[in-house]
Amino acid sequence: MTREEVIDTVYQAIERLNMMREPQDQLSCREDTRLYGRQGSLDSLSLVALVLDVEEAVGEQSDTMIALADERALAQSRTPFRDVGSFADYVLTRLQEAAA
């Protein structure tokens, strides 16, 4: 998958998540949209839902199953879930590792 495809996959997951959120709590489909952590828009439960949705979609599109919410993600000094761009970069890294 290309970075653009991963970004699009994350945007689609955000749109599905937005269907369950109040209008004032909608997330924008932009790379700088804050997801989690300081100034993040998601609580831990919403973040897990988004991550699982992206895992499933990436698995279907790439025929590669990856785990995104694991001890490796949590051990990083800066969460890979802080914004859409960092999340997409983390997905790409995990896909590249799985292919190696």
Side-chain angles (χ1 to χ4, degrees):
M1 290 182 78
T2 66
R3 188 173 193 279
E4 292 76 28
E5 291 170 324
V6 172
I7 291 284
D8 187 52
T9 299
V10 173
Y11 287 166
Q12 290 173 23
I14 286 173
E15 289 171 1
R16 287 187 289 273
L17 186 64
N18 278 341
M19 286 188 234
M20 296 179 280
R21 295 171 65 89
E22 296 295 326
Q24 69 273 13
D25 295 330
Q26 300 287 297
L27 298 174
S28 299
C29 288
R30 298 176 14 170
E31 282 196 47
D32 63 348
T33 296
R34 301 293 293 185
L35 298 175
Y36 194 71
R38 285 189 176 179
Q39 302 171 346
S41 300
L42 300 177
D43 60 17
S44 57
L45 185 59
S46 296
L47 176 66
V48 169
L50 179 70
V51 169
L52 291 176
D53 191 351
V54 171
E55 278 181 2
E56 183 177 328
V58 166
E60 290 174 2
Q61 293 173 31
S62 68
D63 289 327
T64 304
M65 297 308 296
I66 56 173
L68 298 171
D70 58 9
E71 65 279 346
R72 183 169 172 201
L74 300 174
Q76 294 187 22
S77 60
R78 291 190 63 179
T79 177
F81 310 119
R82 67 186 168 280
D83 58 41
V84 171
S86 64
F87 185 29
D89 291 338
Y90 183 65
V91 171
L92 279 173
T93 298
R94 296 306 297 265
L95 282 170
Q96 291 166 353
E97 291 170 353

